[in-house]
Amino acid sequence: MQDLDFQTFRMGEKSWGIQWKCKPSREFLQFLLAVKKQLAIVYTAEIIHTYSEILLKNIESDETPLILEARFREIIKTTIPLGFQEHKVHHVPVCYDTVFGEDILLLADTKKCTIKEIVEIHTAPLYTVYFMGFLPGFPYLEGLDERLYIERKPIPKQKVIKGSVAIGGKQTGIYPQDSPGGWYTIGHSPISFFDVTKERFSPFIAGDFIKFYAIDSQEHTVIQEMIKAETFELKSEIYAK
């Protein structure tokens, strides 16, 4: 991983970007998280990653740009990818009924298949949480079956309700808040995916996994009531492989 091509570049007076030329993968994510960890030891900054980039925002350092860039390169070249990490698999319930998945019929028609087949394909993979973005608590996931790839809507919807599970391009995701959105909504989860009153705002962190499972509308209502009564717990376990 240390041998992958990358470039560093300034972004304003106190911020830097680091960009790799590679495709997203589980192996590269482990390396990316290891680089972030090493950078956080050396520098005080807000450090954010995407699929193949790291942003160091507002670095507190008196080093010159040349020295900073040289140190970034040394850190990257000497970083050892993370070994086994105790990441979790989160089992997320989704109701794919058309009352919630308002675009699932359109998707099924476009893909020349049934709603049942859409649900089977969507719930089969183990999705990797690569990073959070777009909205607070919005997980960018890798693992969508290419049979469900679809271009984003030409005209975004003004309001997609929180908990909506949707597909856009080569990705699937969950809207943690009400938001405009151009992805195709195929279902809804009753779970809360972003809560500022909790110690951890989101149940997910980069490196975790999500496994969707289908529920019917009655189960959806039951889970909602359990959440209100604070008796529902999202099923999760340590990834054992």
Side-chain angles (χ1 to χ4, degrees):
M1 286 296 171
Q2 293 91 332
D3 296 330
L4 288 173
D5 289 338
F6 66 91
Q7 61 177 335
T8 61
F9 47 91
R10 293 184 69 179
M11 300 181 69
E13 290 296 318
K14 295 184 177 181
S15 299
W16 281 78
I18 305 171
Q19 185 179 61
W20 283 262
K21 296 179 180 179
C22 64
K23 293 182 178 179
S25 70
R26 180 75 189 175
E27 183 183 10
F28 180 67
L29 175 59
Q30 294 299 97
F31 173 67
L32 204 62
L33 294 177
V35 172
K36 278 186 67 178
K37 185 176 180 179
Q38 293 303 313
L39 288 169
I41 292 172
V42 178
Y43 295 105
T44 299
E46 183 180 0
I47 305 176
I48 305 164
H49 76 279
T50 62
Y51 285 113
S52 58
E53 297 173 315
I54 289 178
L55 169 65
L56 293 96
K57 187 177 179 182
N58 296 325
I59 301 172
E60 295 182 16
S61 174
D62 295 326
E63 295 171 330
T64 66
L66 284 176
I67 292 176
L68 275 171
E69 184 172 19
R71 293 195 72 186
F72 294 157
R73 289 184 171 275
E74 181 63 23
I75 289 170
I76 292 167
K77 292 293 185 182
T78 58
T79 293
I80 299 174
L82 295 175
F84 175 77
Q85 303 290 302
E86 288 195 343
H87 289 295
K88 291 183 177 181
V89 179
H90 304 277
H91 297 267
V92 175
V94 180
C95 183
Y96 294 91
D97 287 3
T98 53
V99 66
F100 294 120
E102 60 182 45
D103 299 315
I104 197 167
L105 276 172
L106 175 60
L107 181 63
D109 183 61
T110 301
K111 297 297 180 179
K112 303 295 189 291
C113 64
T114 65
I115 290 178
K116 181 181 178 182
E117 288 171 326
I118 295 290
V119 175
E120 289 174 348
I121 295 170
H122 190 256
T123 56
L126 190 63
Y127 297 94
T128 298
V129 179
Y130 224 87
F131 63 96
M132 314 297 279
F134 168 54
L135 294 168
F138 185 97
Y140 277 82
L141 307 178
E142 281 294 301
L144 181 67
D145 191 301
E146 63 182 15
R147 289 175 291 176
L148 296 184
Y149 291 178
I150 187 168
E151 293 297 321
R152 291 167 174 79
K153 293 179 178 180
I155 301 176
K157 188 178 179 181
Q158 292 188 357
K159 182 180 179 181
V160 179
I161 63 170
K162 69 176 183 178
S164 293
V165 176
I167 292 174
K170 300 178 180 180
Q171 297 173 305
T172 188
I174 312 163
Y175 285 79
Q177 303 156 44
D178 293 349
S179 167
W183 291 18
Y184 289 81
T185 302
I186 62 169
H188 184 270
S189 178
I191 307 300
S192 176
F193 296 100
F194 184 74
D195 188 346
V196 295
T197 67
K198 300 286 180 64
E199 184 177 351
R200 278 181 53 178
F201 295 166
S202 169
F204 316 130
I205 61 171
D208 279 355
F209 299 90
I210 288 177
K211 181 72 173 176
F212 295 114
Y213 67 94
I215 58 174
D216 59 28
S217 57
Q218 184 176 354
E219 291 172 297
H220 185 278
T221 300
V222 169
I223 293 175
Q224 282 184 320
E225 293 302 317
M226 292 176 68
I227 290 172
K228 289 179 183 178
E230 299 184 349
T231 58
F232 180 83
E233 185 173 345
L234 183 66
K235 181 184 175 183
S236 305
E237 76 267 356
I238 300 299
Y239 182 64
K241 293 184 180 180

